[in-house]
Amino acid sequence: MGQKLVTGEQTQSSALLPFSGSVIKLLVHVTEKMWGCCPNHWKSFGSSCYLISTKENFWSTSEQNCVQMGAHLVVINTEAEQNFITQQLNESLSYFLGLSDPQGNGKWQWVDDTPFSQNVRFWHPHEPNLPEERCVSIVYWNPSKWGWNDVFCDSKHNSICEMKKIYL
Ligand SMILES: [Ca+2]
Ligand SMILES: [Ca+2]
């Protein structure tokens, strides 16, 4: 009798464990899908929200404006993210990214300290072209279409802010 009881308990617990695990994963997944949201007028992509500003400003002023809203100038993490963003942009304007070379020595830095990956660089041909141009804008040029150009930080451009989605 005692042996049968032990066998029964083991069967029960091993059958329940994987089931409980998948229920928990499912709930987390649904919660992310349902409750990740962006402020009014911000565009949603992946786990981020984007605000396209058509107010031209210097790079540092543009970054400060993003920070005041709990965001940063946009950090391009993937080609898919850049493709989503460029769909929202005006081909006759240029927009600051959260990328700069503060010392002018080619050490490009993202504002959130994301490593400057070899795989995520979308410079236009022959850019970056000047050590004095220490900030980066995204601009539409033919024939390469949307790409990055280093520009003077105290030139005025539009800008793109990015913030993480708000999870409620
Ligand atoms: Ca990003
Ligand atoms: Ca340039």
Side-chain angles (χ1 to χ4, degrees):
M1 277 237 333
Q3 271 183 334
K4 273 182 194 168
L5 194 63
V6 170
T7 308
E9 277 172 1
Q10 283 173 338
T11 307
Q12 195 180 39
S13 54
S14 62
L16 271 177
L17 267 176
F19 180 68
S20 317
S22 58
V23 167
I24 290 165
K25 274 181 204 158
L26 181 68
L27 285 175
V28 169
H29 188 66
V30 167
T31 304
E32 284 174 359
K33 290 284 181 201
M34 300 281 285
W35 298 101
C37 50
C38 293
N40 246 351
H41 309 302
W42 292 61
K43 307 280 184 186
S44 160
F45 178 78
S47 56
S48 289
C49 311
Y50 305 87
L51 185 68
I52 316 295
S53 168
T54 50
K55 194 168 186 272
E56 292 189 351
N57 242 317
F58 304 136
W59 187 88
S60 59
T61 312
S62 304
E63 167 64 1
Q64 281 166 23
N65 288 340
C66 293
V67 167
Q68 279 172 6
M69 294 184 282
H72 277 293
L73 281 173
V74 65
V75 172
I76 306 289
N77 302 92
T78 62
E79 189 170 10
E81 182 181 22
Q82 168 145 318
N83 289 340
F84 169 80
I85 291 163
T86 54
Q87 284 167 25
Q88 326 290 326
L89 304 181
N90 182 329
E91 290 176 9
S92 59
L93 302 178
S94 61
Y95 303 82
F96 274 130
L97 305 179
L99 185 62
S100 67
D101 172 18
Q103 314 298 325
N105 57 2
K107 291 189 177 165
W108 296 97
Q109 297 177 6
W110 290 110
V111 284
D112 70 347
D113 294 328
T114 292
F116 186 55
S117 163
Q118 195 74 42
N119 302 324
V120 188
R121 299 183 186 186
F122 305 111
W123 297 109
H124 274 296
H126 314 300
E127 301 294 341
N129 67 329
L130 275 181
E132 296 80 15
E133 296 185 327
R134 299 182 179 184
C135 289
V136 177
S137 72
I138 187 166
V139 62
Y140 188 95
W141 288 343
N142 277 317
S144 43
K145 302 191 175 175
W146 286 105
W148 303 353
N149 174 27
D150 59 342
V151 294
F152 290 103
C153 300
D154 58 358
S155 57
K156 288 191 169 182
H157 298 267
N158 304 282
S159 57
I160 308 157
C161 299
E162 175 182 4
M163 68 188 286
K164 289 292 154 203
K165 267 184 191 166
I166 301 156
Y167 290 98
L168 300 178

